[in-house]
């Protein structure tokens, strides 16, 4: 018999009020993704270890929850080897890649899927960081058209708007632009990742910090200076265009594209393609209702190494991290098959969205309502059947009904109704039963009335409309 | 790089069509449970090993998926000990007991919760048996009133009716009745479990088989004969009441209660309480709209040892196992606290419900519909923005829209629309763009019409109503 009743470290129980909030957000995410033609996919929590091994870098290998082999398969003689054959899902992208390879013939050529499921990482728990958390992924497989990026950005913006966010920014960049900037600064290809890792910290450590880190990472001082100077130039451009900013960030976005094009080499076909793609994406975004939220950010790098094209990230002012991010990864899906299949995706962080919405009080009032609309009391043991019958009728009409389970004194039953905050109580005492009537108590107004049995449903609904109207 | 793309053994991927069916069933289960005042609870997939250890008997210990300790905590020197500190959730009842103990002050006295989440068991996979499967549990904590049993039975029957089941039977028994029958047969208390284990096989091995097994389990021949004879008597009673069966099983239920009461000892207070409870439950059930499905089955034993009162199980003719089952377990919830708290619950087997519904073709037609209502084509690279704008407008009106991502030849785009079975296609060619019109193709009727841009939403909805009406 254990008296440890807490959930495991870094894991959480969700009591009813929590579940309702989570389901509210998930419901909107699903609804919007389905409007964009994305389809639901679910994969098992447990994957073969070899499916996941080597996909998440060294850190991923350490943070993965591995499952002990069962029975005779367990071989402890060789140390950690031979102990595990399965692991918990670490993200939703590798399972997607596996699914695309496995069901190739059953899936449409342009497979658009969303997937909202928990993942597990043995991270050190911290504020807002858990060992079990939900990812809300959406990915479009099979096309390298910028229509895909535009649609993804549009869907994600619509979700945030529907949830009530008004002050988010979709930062947009392209890995190929970053690569070209690195090249223009004279930094060698093998130092490219170092340059991007340092750049990723620009917000935190500033230009000087980045320059210092570049030099520490073995990049020549002159190259580092040039590299940093280019981003300072873009920042200056941004400042210059702030005052002209009439609708969103159009003015800076266009200025950046022009500045950037000035520097590119017209004989470089890769560069030409990048310019064309990125210009196209920006122009597509102008047709999206959320265009005002979209801002080019040439310093956006994104941590993951697998991105090959556009990258995006969503921020709000009152959260240090991002609400979500994504990008194009044309090489990743092919890792389980022979074919390279283009893909672009976005992942929303459910837990972060919930944190911000909680802090800002963004959840609709109806999520706070009681677990039932009506409590039906029990008068005595002989009339329980009548109470059950009434509950049944009320439920048929769509009301959520709690039947008090015991023939306690009425006072005690009413007190409980107050405690659980239920708005209406039905009492059927001896007189009411004789006369085929019901005493209806409006708990918010502290009023009661005698209602004919056959009118009780309408009467409750009439009262309910009244009280929700008066609350407004 | 692995080319093994299958899910892990005994685990399943759910492609979009599967997810839709699962969500349809889960949606109805949730809706009905909420109407009965049950609230959602979610607990983590991963529990501390010590929370689960010792709760599921020897078999449970073997079938549990245990998680390998991480990093320096892993100690392989002592064999299996020291290797694991966490395990995957094995059922939803033990986590509930932990939650009730942990949040005692935050939960209402009569805590009614439902929980629909996967559990994991390292069972040998077989037809309909998986290593990851969903349980749909509903439990009412805090009351020992038979109102709880009646409400649970009512809710479960409503779910099955809503799903379209008409031929299910809710078998009902009480562990205390079984105990008394065992006692009446002269079987000693320590052989009681043996007697029930043998009885559980009555359907499969018949009276003779049960008698043989009782003797093998060390029960006296005369006791075994008497025990079996009592159930033969009940079976005879059932036959005799079959012809009188006008509405459900009322006639047998009453005859059984009368027969059973004849034999009981009026001085035994436990027996008196059992009789009173069970009569009450049967009478409560008469007030439930699903009363015709409820049948006393004195031979129903249920495998789990923790039941203390009423037990129930739901069967349909074309499934060997049950669709779900449950009962009262007044001792279990207390295992994490000092207090014993009465509880009664029911668990529906999602996977079995899905299997039967699939075999019988019970899913509504709309689950088979395409992933989008409309496909918007791309005429050429210059008009992509117009297509995105149109898609945006259609979505605002609630339509699910798939934008074809590439400026392929129109034929190819239309062929794709057929493949994914989308009912409508919007084409905006040069002429249409000039005249502010859209060519709307009805893919099912193989018709097309030119529609003014501002009327496209209404026109699609009008056509959609028409085709869904014609499908009926």
């Amino acid at each position: 018999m254990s008296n440890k009743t807490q959930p495991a470290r870094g894991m959480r129980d969700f009591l009813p009020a929590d579940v309702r909030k989570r389901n509210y957000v998930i419901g909107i995410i699903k609804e919007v993704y389905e409007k964009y033609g994305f389809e639901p996919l679910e994969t098992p929590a447990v994957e073969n270890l070899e499916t996941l091994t080597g996909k998440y870098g060294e850190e991923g290998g350490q943070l993965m929850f591995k499952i002990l082999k069962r029975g005779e398969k367990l071989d402890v003689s060789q140390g950690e080897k031979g102990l595990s054959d399965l692991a918990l899902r670490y993200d939703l992208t590798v399972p997607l890649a596996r699914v695309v390879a496995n069901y190739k013939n059953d899936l449409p050529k342009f497979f658009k899927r969303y997937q909202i499921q928990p993942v597990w990482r043995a991270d050190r728990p911290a504020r807002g960081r858990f060992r079990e958390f939900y990812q809300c992924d959406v990915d479009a497989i099979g096309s390298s058209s910028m229509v895909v990026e535009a649609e993804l950005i549009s869907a994600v913006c619509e979700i945030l708007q529907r949830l009530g966010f008004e002050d988010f920014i979709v930062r947009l960049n392209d890995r190929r632009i970053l690569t070209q900037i690195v090249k223009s600064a004279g930094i060698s290809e093998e130092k490219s990742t170092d340059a991007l890792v340092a750049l990723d910290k620009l917000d935190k450590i500033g230009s000087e910090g980045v320059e210092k880190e570049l030099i520490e990472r073995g990049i020549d001082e002159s190259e580092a200076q040039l590299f940093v100077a280019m981003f300072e130039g873009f920042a200056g451009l941004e400042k210059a265009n702030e005052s002209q900013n009439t609708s969103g960030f159009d003015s800076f976005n266009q200025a950046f594209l022009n500045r950037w094009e000035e520097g590119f080499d017209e004989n470089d076909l890769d560069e030409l393609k990048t310019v064309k793609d990125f210009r196209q994406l920006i122009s597509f975004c102008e047709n999206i209702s959320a265009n005002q939220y979209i801002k080019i950010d040439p310093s956006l790098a994104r941590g993951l190494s697998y991105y090959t094209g556009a990258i995006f990230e969503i921020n709000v002012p009152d959260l240090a991290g991002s609400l979500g991010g994504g990008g194009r990864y044309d090489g990743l899906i092919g890792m389980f098959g022979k074919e390279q299949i283009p893909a672009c995706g976005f992942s929303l962080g459910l837990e972060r969205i919930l944190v911000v919405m909680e802090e800002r009080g963004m959840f609709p009032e109806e999520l706070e309502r009681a677990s039932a609309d009506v409590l039906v009391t029990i008068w005595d043991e002989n009339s329980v059947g009548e109470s059950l019958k009434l509950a049944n009728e009320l439920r048929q009409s769509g009301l959520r009904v709690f039947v008090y389970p015991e023939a306690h004194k009425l006072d005690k039953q009413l007190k409980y109704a107050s405690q659980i905050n239920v708005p209406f109580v039905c009492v059927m005492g001896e007189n009411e039963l004789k006369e085929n009537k019901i005493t209806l108590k409006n708990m918010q107004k502290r009023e009661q009335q005698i209602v004919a049995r056959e009118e009780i449903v309408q009467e409750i609904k009439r009262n309910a409309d009244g009280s929700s109207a008066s609350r407004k």
Side-chain angles (χ1 to χ4, degrees), chain A residues 123-290:
Chain A
D123 230 327
R124 187 181 296 271
R127 180 175 171 276
R129 190 165 65 206
F130 307 101
R131 293 183 151 196
E132 174 182 74
F133 58 96
Y134 270 67
Q135 290 193 330
C136 309
D137 274 26
V138 64
D139 292 84
I141 314 294
S143 168
S144 50
S145 157
M146 287 292 126
V147 168
V148 170
E149 275 83 345
E151 290 259 286
L152 282 171
I153 292 171
S154 180
V156 168
C157 289
E158 189 171 333
I159 288 169
L160 291 174
Q161 288 175 304
R162 284 277 306 277
L163 289 173
F165 286 94
E166 285 164 359
D167 57 349
F168 62 92
I169 295 178
V170 185
R171 292 155 65 211
L172 194 63
N173 201 10
D174 194 302
R175 268 290 166 88
R176 294 169 299 176
I177 294 180
L178 285 170
T179 308
Q180 285 164 31
I181 293 175
V182 169
K183 212 169 92 185
S184 317
I187 298 172
S188 66
E189 214 176 310
E190 62 262 32
K191 287 285 173 198
S192 176
T193 307
D194 284 294
L196 296 189
V197 169
L199 176 65
D200 213 22
K201 300 177 188 163
L202 185 60
D203 278 352
K204 283 181 214 140
I205 60 178
S207 289
E208 275 175 46
V210 172
E211 191 179 320
K212 203 175 143 211
E213 183 164 335
L214 290 168
I215 294 166
E216 280 167 11
R217 286 174 176 267
I219 289 165
D220 282 355
E221 199 176 328
S222 61
E223 292 165 8
Q225 280 171 352
L226 185 53
F227 186 68
V228 167
M230 290 170 82
F231 291 99
E232 282 177 344
F234 296 136
L237 195 64
E238 192 179 334
K239 263 228 160 79
N241 280 279
E242 254 171 16
S243 53
Q244 302 170 34
N245 182 5
T246 47
S247 148
F249 307 99
D250 279 352
S251 166
F252 167 68
N253 291 348
Q254 293 303 332
F256 168 79
L257 283 170
N258 294 337
R259 165 82 61 96
W260 175 51
E261 276 179 25
E262 283 165 19
F264 84 77
D265 176 0
E266 280 180 35
N267 297 317
D268 186 328
L269 291 178
D270 285 345
E271 282 202 27
L272 269 178
K273 174 86 169 79
T274 305
V275 171
K276 191 188 147 226
D277 281 352
F278 207 63
R279 273 230 177 259
Q280 224 182 17
L281 176 53
I282 294 296
S283 99
F284 291 170
C285 285
E286 285 163 13
N287 295 286
I288 294 171
S289 58

Side-chain angles (χ1 to χ4, degrees), chain A residues 393-395 397 399 451-462:
Chain A
E393 283 171 37
L394 297 175
R395 285 171 186 144
S397 78
L399 290 165
V451 181
R453 170 68 192 253
E454 60 275 15
E455 283 165 19
I456 186 70
V457 169
Q458 297 103 294
E459 198 50 40
I460 290 173
K461 292 201 166 172
R462 189 154 45 227

Side-chain angles (χ1 to χ4, degrees), chain A residues 3-130:
Chain A
N3 59 4
K4 304 218 173 127
T5 57
Q6 304 251 329
R9 184 160 176 260
M11 312 278 175
R12 292 165 295 165
D13 295 315
F14 299 116
L15 299 190
D18 305 317
V19 178
R20 282 193 199 101
K21 286 174 182 169
R22 298 175 72 82
N23 286 347
Y24 166 74
V25 174
I26 289 173
I28 286 178
I29 294 175
K30 280 186 182 177
E31 199 188 312
V32 173
Y33 282 152
E34 299 216 338
K35 276 208 314 189
Y36 279 78
F38 289 92
E39 302 189 85
L41 176 75
E42 292 184 3
T43 63
V46 175
E47 291 277 358
N48 285 318
L49 186 55
E50 66 171 318
T51 300
L52 306 186
T53 300
K55 308 297 191 300
Y56 303 107
E58 200 186 323
E59 197 200 37
Q62 282 163 8
L63 299 185
M64 207 176 282
F65 281 110
K66 301 189 182 92
I67 290 171
L68 205 62
K69 286 187 184 177
R70 278 78 47 210
E72 64 236 46
K73 285 189 187 158
L74 184 66
D75 175 9
V76 294
S77 67
Q78 306 184 51
E80 193 165 344
K81 270 189 191 177
L83 293 181
S84 174
D85 51 355
L86 299 168
L88 289 185
R89 184 168 55 210
Y90 188 83
D91 75 355
L92 304 177
T93 309
V94 169
L96 171 65
R98 180 181 61 67
V99 162
V100 170
N102 198 49
Y103 307 92
K104 223 177 149 293
N105 301 327
D106 304 317
L107 298 175
K109 176 173 161 48
F110 302 117
F111 182 44
K112 295 171 74 173
R113 86 88 173 79
Y114 70 87
Q115 186 170 0
I116 302 172
Q117 288 194 287
V119 302
W120 294 269
R121 296 183 188 176
D123 230 327
R124 187 181 296 271
R127 180 175 171 276
R129 190 165 65 206
F130 307 101

Side-chain angles (χ1 to χ4, degrees), chain A residues 344-355:
Chain A
C344 186
F346 203 96
S347 184
L348 279 173
L350 180 66
E351 319 300 340
R352 287 174 174 186
I353 291 175
L354 286 163
V355 162

